[in-house]
Amino acid sequence: MKKYSLLLFFILICSTGIAQSRKSVSILGDSYSTYEHYLYPDTNAVWYFQKVRANNNVSSVTQTWWHKFIKENGYHLCINNSFSGSTICHTGYRKEDYSNRSFITRMNNLGCPDIIFIFGATNDSWAEVPIGEYQYQNWSKKDLYSFRPAMAYMLEYMQNRYPNVEIYFLLNCDLKIEINESVKTICAHYNIPCIELKDIDKQGGHPSIKGMEQINEQLKAFITQQKSMK
């Protein structure tokens, strides 16, 4: 009996070690990364619901880009803090104050992950928020209502808040040129990899099942290439 108890103890230790060795992933995103009942906090606005939308064929959380990526790579989800319609800066649609939902408001609530994916700037582009100037220090609250200062503030904060965490920025296709250029310039300044998505299939302006798979495949290809260069 003692021998079997000892064997069970070692099995539990080994299984715990395997679980702990799995990398965890957190997501800071907008509608493209939402799914009903899979967000933290659960009060965040959702675009993808368990009931299929009339204008989009995504019908299961397993079809989302992030769920596919995490499952296929043996990772586990830490926190998905995505909020439908949210902008990176504090300015939203119709020039409304979005400081209660912006990326820079939610960026400190991502748990303790090994990897963070920031998937944003889509609503900043669609809402035509103020672009602002490139600014890498001494931000005032007013500065954070413009895209470039807010983007830089977010990346600097996150690098300090989550040291030794892999941070990637996913850049949607079909955005305004000045948004694309700003994201790539600011990511380069902070040495944060920017994954430029190409030709993503969309329904209702959002990734379809095919589009979700394309995001997953492009993300995997980018990370594989990054690892091969190290």
Side-chain angles (χ1 to χ4, degrees):
M1 186 69 181
K2 183 177 180 182
K3 185 186 295 183
Y4 286 115
S5 297
L6 195 60
L7 178 61
L8 180 60
F9 173 77
F10 280 116
I11 290 173
L12 288 171
I13 289 294
C14 290
S15 62
T16 301
I18 292 171
Q20 288 178 342
S21 67
R22 288 187 177 184
K23 286 188 174 182
S24 62
V25 174
S26 286
I27 302 142
L28 180 62
D30 52 31
S31 59
Y32 278 39
S33 305
T34 62
Y35 199 86
E36 187 177 18
H37 302 316
Y38 284 83
L39 304 180
Y40 182 83
D42 197 44
T43 51
N44 285 3
V46 177
W47 199 89
Y48 289 97
F49 291 88
Q50 293 180 337
K51 184 178 180 180
V52 184
R53 299 178 67 102
N55 61 344
N56 194 285
N57 63 359
V58 173
S59 59
S60 168
V61 69
T62 61
Q63 296 167 335
T64 61
W65 70 267
W66 51 269
H67 194 285
K68 294 173 77 68
F69 179 84
I70 288 171
K71 185 175 182 180
E72 291 175 14
N73 288 278
Y75 300 151
H76 70 265
L77 179 64
C78 181
I79 285 179
N80 183 352
N81 192 338
S82 296
F83 197 118
S84 182
S86 62
T87 47
I88 288 176
C89 70
H90 285 332
T91 302
Y93 289 91
R94 300 168 296 278
K95 309 306 177 188
E96 293 176 6
D97 188 330
Y98 271 27
S99 58
N100 65 335
R101 71 197 75 174
S102 67
F103 278 55
I104 55 178
T105 294
R106 294 180 287 116
M107 64 186 177
N108 67 341
N109 193 6
L110 297 174
C112 299
D114 299 292
I115 302 169
I116 294 174
F117 293 118
I118 307 169
F119 197 168
T122 297
N123 289 300
D124 298 83
S125 181
W126 291 354
E128 298 184 343
V129 304
I131 197 72
E133 301 296 330
Y134 290 110
Q135 182 180 348
Y136 298 107
Q137 60 184 349
N138 301 324
W139 300 276
S140 67
K141 185 175 181 180
K142 182 180 178 181
D143 295 327
L144 302 181
Y145 283 84
S146 296
F147 181 74
R148 285 172 178 164
M151 176 80 184
Y153 175 77
M154 175 180 70
L155 296 189
E156 177 157 311
Y157 176 89
M158 290 183 68
Q159 284 187 325
N160 293 330
R161 172 68 175 81
Y162 306 100
N164 300 318
V165 172
E166 297 176 47
I167 300 175
Y168 298 88
F169 193 100
L170 279 74
L171 179 59
N172 192 13
C173 56
D174 308 317
L175 301 185
K176 295 171 66 175
I177 293 174
E178 59 184 348
I179 291 288
N180 292 335
E181 291 177 349
S182 299
V183 168
K184 289 185 286 186
T185 298
I186 297 168
C187 281
H189 178 85
Y190 289 102
N191 199 28
I192 287 179
C194 178
I195 305 167
E196 296 183 68
L197 301 175
K198 306 292 185 183
D199 303 319
I200 301 303
D201 187 71
K202 299 174 184 177
Q203 296 175 346
H206 291 68
S208 61
I209 293 175
K210 179 181 177 181
M212 290 293 191
E213 178 59 26
Q214 289 172 319
I215 295 171
N216 175 43
E217 291 299 325
Q218 291 181 33
L219 176 56
K220 287 192 299 183
F222 183 93
I223 291 179
T224 298
Q225 183 181 33
Q226 288 281 109
K227 289 180 178 179
S228 68
M229 295 169 62
K230 292 182 179 180

